[in-house]
Amino acid sequence: MRTARHLWRSATPAAALTAALALAACGSGKDATTSAKTPAAADPAVLAKQAFGPNAAARSGQIDGEIRIAVTGAKAFAEPFSLTMSGPFEDRAGHALPDYDIQLGAGNYGSELSAVGGKSYVSLGTTGYQVPATIRRRLVHSAAKGTNGLTRTLEQFGIAIWRWETKRRIAGTELVDGVQTVHVATGVDVRRVLLDANTLGGLQNALGISRATGLPPKISRAARDVLVRSVTSASGGSWIGVKDHVLRKAGFTVRFAVAKADRHSVGGISAATVTALLNVTDVGSPQRIGKPPTIGAFADFKAGLSALGDAQDAKHAP
């Protein structure tokens, strides 16, 4: 278990939009080399089924993601900000959840969520707190939507690239982190992205994190409608291993221009650009994932968050 890179700090106003657009394929990118040679039998629908369906080769690896959001027209979102996630995962036969140790960061704060040995923990620093059975069941329910180790892990955080991609087409082959991949260019179903973002919002709310950080637990239908009709461009892509058919990279860029009459529904925002990228490395290698070195009572975790929530309420009181 790695030490969390951030302890909870006072949340920035920008974090609210982070949750609203939240998650999507995240990522820190790596340079890729394009090749003119594409497998003759490559079919984007078949490749997607191989990458996002049952695939034993996708049982383990490291994920590293980031989504960057730049907003204009609203003072509260004057500075660009990001949401990050990173860490190892490994699916083990017979386990309700893959083992993983995922660092989550949003704006100026962050936490760590892990699953190991049939138990789930939320951690701050080196102390982990075992989550209640009701929250673990939520994670298990979300993970069950996936069909391989990678997709089962990502589904818990509302990341579902396979549901977001539209109009897939082969765009060539590229070398990504030393692996030959097929690049599939896509459109983006922005409404589906926003719906899936509520998976993370619901998890944060169940943990008590939403009130403590000021993040909204849910994106309303009205806000989704405004954002969807404000899209001016949306394009993405995924990079799938030629030999093992495992996703190595995925990302998208979406630009919004919000009509003046709609801006009240999204905090006064007039325009926004969202870029996201997910990298998957160390595929198929055993991962070292252990429980937190110190275990505390979840009630103590909730009490600490409640105090932060009180501070947030006082900060925004009229």
Side-chain angles (χ1 to χ4, degrees), residues 152-218:
R152 277 163 45 78
T153 301
L154 295 177
E155 281 278 14
Q156 296 169 70
F157 303 97
I159 300 175
I161 299 152
W162 42 99
R163 289 196 292 271
W164 304 343
E165 294 184 339
T166 65
K167 301 177 181 178
R168 294 184 177 105
R169 63 179 180 82
I170 300 298
T173 61
E174 296 183 11
L175 197 64
V176 177
D177 196 37
V179 177
Q180 192 71 7
T181 68
V182 178
H183 175 197
V184 180
T186 73
V188 182
D189 184 341
V190 177
R191 186 177 297 278
R192 185 70 252 187
V193 172
L194 296 172
L195 281 169
D196 284 335
N198 283 338
T199 296
L200 180 67
L203 174 60
Q204 290 177 321
N205 193 49
L207 290 169
I209 292 173
S210 296
R211 178 172 176 265
T213 62
L215 297 176
K218 184 178 181 180

Side-chain angles (χ1 to χ4, degrees), residues 3 31 42 71 80 88 98 122 129 141 176 185-186 205 208 231 246 287-288:
T3 300
D31 293 338
V71 171
V122 59
Y129 305 87
H141 176 76
V176 177
T186 73
N205 193 49
V231 173
V246 176
Q287 303 297 317
R288 297 182 62 183

